[in-house]
């Protein structure tokens, strides 16, 4: 069974640009979580989607947004990129109502 | 690749009791993170350890990284129902190709009985 997949693996952008990251959950999982890990810091919770709806949001500005599609895959969009947005972005999925999350390999974003 | 083994997989304790969760790495740890996972809230960052022998505390939770930097423990003193959840350790390391790698343990599910 395929695990959580993310694309792209690496990305380089400049300040002010916009970026879209993609995540495909494990088959059967309806929940998708997004996290940011900046260098030297722990994971910071960004967004939680379940059944196509945004269920919870971390302490991030509105320029961080996303959506979940009918097939439960998800996108994370970041507008007006800033240098401090450089980080590893992780996606995780889980069955609805279950706590155990399965993580993807992440997308490493560098903002110059 | 680096692997993290957590023990125990699950734990049920009476409120007020102390408990310890362990995280053992197959390779030297460059950065070890402890998280608490709650449904709908994602992973909550607890602590990060980097130096061998380092110990950090936050409220009733203490985490240690051993001198050889291959094992960490998370100790909760006088557990409360609010401590219940899944605890994950995460580690930074380097893959065989030398690239950065982030790995997680499978988690320890803690239940605290009032």
């Amino acid at each position: 069974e395929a695990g959580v997949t993310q694309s792209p693996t690496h990305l380089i952008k400049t300040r002010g640009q916009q970026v879209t990251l993609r995540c495909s959950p494990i088959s059967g999982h309806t929940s998708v979580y997004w996290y940011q890990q900046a260098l030297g810091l722990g994971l910071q919770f960004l967004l939680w989607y379940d059944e196509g709806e945004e269920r919870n949001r971390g302490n991030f500005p509105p320029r961080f947004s996303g959506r979940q599609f009918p097939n439960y895959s998800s996108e994370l969009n970041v507008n007006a990129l800033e240098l401090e947005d450089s980080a590893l972005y992780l996606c995780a999925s889980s069955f609805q109502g279950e706590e155990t999350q399965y993580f993807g390999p992440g997308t490493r974003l560098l903002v110059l | 690749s680096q692997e993290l083994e957590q023990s125990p997989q699950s734990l049920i304790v009476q409120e007020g009791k102390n408990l310890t969760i362990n995280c053992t790495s197959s390779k030297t740890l460059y950065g070890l993170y402890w998280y608490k996972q709650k449904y709908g809230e994602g992973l909550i960052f607890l602590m990060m350890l980097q130096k061998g022998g380092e110990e950090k505390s936050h409220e009733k939770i203490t985490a240690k990284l051993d001198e050889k930097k291959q094992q960490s423990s998370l100790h909760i003193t006088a557990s409360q129902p609010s401590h219940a959840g899944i605890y994950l350790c995460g580690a930074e390391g380097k893959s065989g190709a030398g690239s950065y790698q982030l790995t997680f343990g499978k988690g320890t599910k803690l239940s605290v009985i009032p």
Side-chain angles (χ1 to χ4, degrees):
Chain A
E1 181 182 303
V4 178
T5 59
Q6 290 185 244
S7 62
T9 55
H10 295 81
L11 205 51
I12 300 175
K13 292 284 188 178
T14 56
R15 277 169 44 186
Q17 284 189 310
Q18 178 266 343
V19 68
T20 298
L21 310 181
R22 295 176 176 81
C23 172
S24 292
I26 291 172
S27 177
H29 287 188
T30 61
S31 280
V32 171
Y33 298 79
W34 285 97
Y35 298 91
Q36 180 198 68
Q37 181 173 20
L39 192 63
L41 300 177
L43 287 180
Q44 301 295 319
F45 168 67
L46 265 166
L47 291 159
W48 171 37
Y49 291 95
D50 185 61
E51 294 284 357
E53 299 286 332
E54 182 179 303
R55 302 294 185 183
N56 200 5
R57 181 182 182 86
N59 189 25
F60 280 83
R63 57 191 186 83
F64 286 85
S65 65
R67 55 180 174 168
Q68 187 177 34
F69 298 98
N71 66 354
Y72 304 116
S73 66
S74 177
E75 284 183 351
L76 173 68
N77 298 293
V78 187
N79 294 320
L81 284 167
E82 300 178 3
L83 296 178
E84 50 265 34
D85 295 334
S86 296
L88 177 70
Y89 289 84
L90 283 170
C91 164
S93 73
S94 71
F95 285 111
Q96 188 180 50
E98 287 199 5
E99 292 175 312
T100 303
Q101 296 179 19
Y102 298 81
F103 286 85
T107 294
R108 185 163 294 283
L109 172 64
L110 178 62
V111 182
L112 301 176
Chain B
S1 62
Q2 184 171 39
E3 293 182 359
L4 295 177
E5 186 174 331
Q6 278 186 244
S7 62
Q9 289 184 324
S10 64
L11 195 53
I12 303 173
V13 299
Q14 200 79 35
E15 182 177 358
K17 297 293 186 183
N18 303 335
L19 64 106
T20 299
I21 299 169
N22 293 303
C23 177
T24 303
S25 172
S26 59
K27 297 183 179 180
T28 299
L29 293 162
Y30 292 93
L32 189 286
Y33 302 83
W34 281 102
Y35 298 94
K36 181 182 177 184
Q37 182 177 324
K38 291 182 68 176
Y39 178 67
E41 296 182 29
L43 294 182
I44 301 167
F45 172 69
L46 295 175
M47 275 170 277
M48 181 179 77
L49 304 166
Q50 287 184 304
K51 299 176 183 177
E54 187 175 8
E55 180 176 321
K56 288 187 178 179
S57 292
H58 177 66
E59 297 179 344
K60 293 184 178 181
I61 301 176
T62 300
K64 301 178 185 179
L65 183 61
D66 75 354
E67 291 288 345
K68 293 183 179 179
K69 297 176 66 176
Q70 285 200 254
Q71 187 173 40
S72 178
S73 60
L74 186 80
H75 184 77
I76 298 177
T77 304
S79 58
Q80 301 170 352
S82 60
H83 288 128
I86 296 178
Y87 290 83
L88 272 84
C89 62
E92 295 174 339
K94 292 184 178 179
S95 70
S99 61
Y100 171 88
Q101 186 177 42
L102 184 63
T103 307
F104 293 95
K106 293 185 177 180
T108 296
K109 185 167 185 175
L110 172 64
S111 302
V112 180
I113 302 171

